[in-house]
Amino acid sequence: MRVVVAEDNALLREGMVLLLSSAGHEVVAVASSGPEVLPALLEHRPDVAVLDVRMPPGFRDEGLRAALAAREEIPGMPVLVLSQYVEETYAEELLGRGTSGIGYLLKDRVGRVDEFLGALERVADGGTALDPEVVTELLTRRRNDPLESLTPREREVLHLMAEGRDNTTIAETLVVSERAVSKHIGNVFSKLGLPPTDAGHRRVLAVLAYLNKSG
């Protein structure tokens, strides 16, 4: 894959470049400040962009703004956003503009190489990759916490679904049968007021549609 990396921390930036190159991907451009990001994305039109939320000069939301602007110019451009902490406003704004080819991970996930590369590939393929902590924050912000009605196992299933995992992978991760996974999925969507479906990515879209409702 052709990748653009935008990160102001030189050590992390070079580490990601090395990691991606070692995994067989081509880093076509790097950016270390907000104003550099959009031009790089528009010039190279990568298969996926990895962007830090907060970048110079303001260290506020420069990376996120560049991601949103790029997706307006190139609809559907896959973007994996990295953040030091869960920032609800940024996550909601990113997800509110569409969920195809979108990822939001905490930076410490980069150190978990297989997880990071798996998330990157899912986003590049048009899927969704959400950090479990992001899902929890977005759910618990609601006045009536829907997580209260979920069992611990159902919460685990919900997190894995939001990360874009299929039933087989969820079953392997939780060491249960696929039949058990299907039952948990049905329970999750029933409790969240969503129609059950086994359509892979559609499950993530349904979760995000629920999260993006007012309230």
Side-chain angles (χ1 to χ4, degrees):
M1 294 187 298
R2 300 172 65 256
V3 186
V4 167
V5 173
E7 166 62 52
D8 65 285
N9 183 298
L11 184 60
L12 179 56
R13 183 175 66 248
E14 294 306 314
M16 283 194 290
V17 170
L18 179 60
L19 172 61
L20 292 169
S21 299
S22 298
H25 304 305
E26 179 187 4
V27 178
V28 295
V30 296
S32 59
S33 68
E36 300 174 11
V37 179
L38 184 57
L41 295 177
L42 296 182
E43 176 183 352
H44 296 280
R45 295 177 178 250
D47 297 314
V48 61
V50 182
L51 310 176
D52 185 12
V53 169
R54 298 186 177 191
M55 299 187 69
F59 291 99
R60 298 190 341 191
D61 59 358
E62 289 82 358
L64 177 65
R65 292 295 161 204
L68 296 175
R71 284 174 66 89
E72 288 184 2
E73 294 284 339
I74 309 172
M77 172 183 282
V79 174
L80 176 59
V81 172
L82 302 178
S83 180
Q84 189 70 41
Y85 309 102
V86 178
E87 300 177 84
E88 294 177 23
T89 301
Y90 296 157
E92 289 179 331
E93 184 162 4
L94 180 67
L95 297 171
R97 304 288 186 92
T99 53
S100 176
I102 286 291
Y104 190 109
L105 297 181
L106 297 182
K107 286 187 177 181
D108 62 6
R109 300 289 173 188
V110 176
R112 303 176 188 180
V113 176
D114 290 340
E115 288 186 26
F116 172 65
L117 293 177
L120 188 70
E121 290 171 4
R122 287 198 302 278
V123 170
D125 288 338
T128 307
L130 293 183
D131 195 290
E133 292 188 34
V134 173
V135 177
T136 298
E137 287 290 336
L138 291 176
L139 282 169
T140 56
R141 70 177 171 80
R142 297 174 62 88
R143 185 173 303 169
N144 297 316
D145 181 6
L147 284 178
E148 291 179 357
S149 64
L150 301 183
T151 66
R153 178 64 82 188
E154 288 165 356
R155 295 189 193 193
E156 291 178 315
V157 170
L158 175 60
H159 286 167
L160 291 169
M161 285 194 297
E163 291 178 343
R165 312 294 183 177
D166 58 23
N167 284 18
T168 300
T169 304
I170 294 175
E172 292 173 350
T173 301
L174 301 180
V175 195
V176 297
S177 68
E178 289 191 43
R179 183 176 180 180
V181 170
S182 296
K183 182 177 179 180
H184 289 312
I185 289 172
N187 290 340
V188 167
F189 282 108
S190 176
K191 292 179 180 180
L192 297 185
L194 296 167
T197 174
D198 288 326
H201 182 52
R202 289 183 182 177
R203 299 180 304 176
V204 180
L205 296 181
V207 172
L208 295 178
Y210 173 81
L211 296 177
N212 287 326
K213 287 180 181 178
S214 60

